[in-house]
Amino acid sequence: MAYKTLIVETQDHITLIKLNRPEALNALNSALIGELADAIDEANRDDKVRCIVITGSEKAFAAGADIKEMSEKSFVDVYMENLFADEFDRLCRSRKPIIAAVAGYALGGGCELAMACDFIIAGDNAKFGQPEINLGVIAGIGGTQRLTRFVGKSKAMDMHLTGRFMDAAEAESCGLVSRVVPAKKLMEEAMGAAAKIAEKSMVAVYAAKEAVNRSYETTLNEGILFERRLFHSLFASEDQKEGMAAFMEKREPQFRDK
Ligand code: CO8
């Protein structure tokens, strides 16, 4: 598919989606959000794809929702069009893992987009923030909920109420991002992580993703039961037999997603 606001490439089982509105620091407008949801759906439909990476430019992952596009909208406009809701739901429904590779600004909707991915790898120049408060609004695509779960109430309140930015070191220390690497090495690291995931049994990858995500939605006991049943069910897969046999035979496993 041809995209206007994204550059999408699929190679070696990985779809790399680059947000591409450099004139607006990759601000998320309706066109970009729609195309992003389409690209994620397309990657999920493509059997060759095993992992997805979303990135921006060296200066900005995304500097938020497009303020210029939003500024004149009324309550009725955003309520009736349910701004970005369907597109974000489609992204969150991706069964294939999505890594956010963040350099530069990840602000407002940009920070929310990164948090909606499965994990975030940050360049050391990354800056995260929820500065919507400065515009007289608040986060609208999960920022108050996800940031609080990532970093706890105190820091989430600080970020949402003051609108301050968090640098990469702070983001790593509070658990917002999984790794920080020199900005120049960001794509190498993110693509390397995606390649590692792509080597695994997709049956186990889907199960791991489902189980971790379940921890946000349920009690500890229910989550542990869900995990246990998924663990049990993986013993019905050929990949479990292959993975364990390969370990004992001291060779690399040949997973077939069966
Ligand atoms: N929207 C539209 N355009 C933007 C945005 C944005 N969010 N951010 C930057 N741009 C544009 C600028 O207007 C500028 O364009 P132009 O050259 O035509 O004036 C260009 O990008 C470059 O930006 P700057 O000149 O400002 O670059 P600086 O390096 O000086 O500053 C900053 C970079 C600090 C990132 C600054 O651009 C900034 O503060 N941007 C806005 C950040 C922000 O407030 N983000 C939150 C937006 S609101 C939001 O995300 C709500 C999400 C919830 C949506 C819910 C829907 C249901």
Side-chain angles (χ1 to χ4, degrees):
M1 212 184 286
Y3 296 101
K4 292 198 172 80
T5 61
L6 309 174
I7 299 170
V8 181
E9 289 164 6
T10 296
Q11 214 178 346
D12 298 333
H13 305 294
I14 301 161
T15 291
L16 173 62
I17 301 174
K18 194 169 184 303
L19 311 183
N20 188 35
R21 293 191 68 217
E23 71 287 359
L25 302 183
N26 293 331
L28 311 173
N29 63 4
S30 315
L32 186 150
I33 282 285
E35 290 194 343
L36 183 58
D38 289 345
I40 299 283
D41 283 347
E42 195 180 351
N44 270 272
R45 280 194 303 268
D46 184 342
D47 289 339
K48 290 191 298 301
V49 175
R50 302 170 78 80
C51 193
I52 300 162
V53 177
I54 302 179
T55 195
S57 67
E58 273 178 30
K59 181 165 183 193
F61 177 73
D66 191 314
I67 301 166
K68 292 166 190 165
E69 186 182 73
M70 276 186 308
S71 63
E72 295 300 320
K73 287 189 192 284
S74 68
F75 163 75
V76 172
D77 293 334
V78 292
Y79 181 68
M80 294 309 284
E81 75 187 71
N82 213 4
L83 192 62
F84 294 174
D86 172 56
E87 294 84 349
F88 240 68
D89 288 349
R90 280 161 65 200
L91 182 131
C92 294
R93 277 201 302 271
S94 172
R95 297 192 76 195
K96 297 187 179 174
I98 307 178
I99 301 172
V102 174
Y105 297 109
L107 304 177
C111 186
E112 294 172 289
L113 170 61
M115 291 191 291
C117 296
D118 293 309
F119 63 97
I120 303 172
I121 300 181
D124 55 8
N125 67 341
K127 284 193 171 22
F128 298 87
Q130 298 286 167
E132 292 92 337
I133 197 88
N134 299 330
L135 304 168
V137 291
I138 66 169
I141 34 180
T144 60
Q145 306 306 299
R146 287 200 175 90
L147 188 63
T148 309
R149 284 164 165 81
F150 276 106
V151 306
K153 177 182 163 186
S154 188
K155 204 175 272 284
M157 278 290 189
D158 179 2
M159 302 295 292
H160 282 287
L161 296 183
T162 69
R164 77 172 175 90
F165 300 167
M166 192 193 273
D167 67 19
E170 184 181 0
E172 186 178 31
S173 74
C174 68
L176 177 58
V177 309
S178 71
R179 338 177 177 174
V180 176
V181 296
K184 291 259 172 297
K185 298 241 166 188
L186 175 65
M187 291 321 296
E188 187 185 323
E189 187 83 5
M191 297 307 278
K196 273 269 164 246
I197 294 169
E199 286 170 4
K200 316 293 182 208
S201 161
M202 281 296 111
V203 187
V205 165
Y206 280 21
K209 174 168 168 162
E210 256 186 89
V212 173
N213 280 336
R214 185 57 70 102
S215 72
Y216 281 114
E217 308 292 343
T218 191
T219 63
L220 180 61
N221 274 338
E222 287 300 319
I224 287 173
L225 180 60
F226 182 79
E227 176 198 82
R228 186 178 301 146
R229 293 295 175 246
L230 272 181
F231 174 79
H232 293 161
S233 62
L234 289 170
F235 283 73
S237 74
E238 290 176 16
D239 284 348
Q240 173 267 329
K241 303 285 174 291
E242 167 62 11
M244 293 192 182
F247 174 80
M248 290 184 297
E249 292 161 17
K250 300 189 187 304
R251 61 172 175 81
E252 290 300 313
Q254 302 293 319
F255 292 124
R256 298 172 57 228
D257 303 336
K258 288 185 191 295

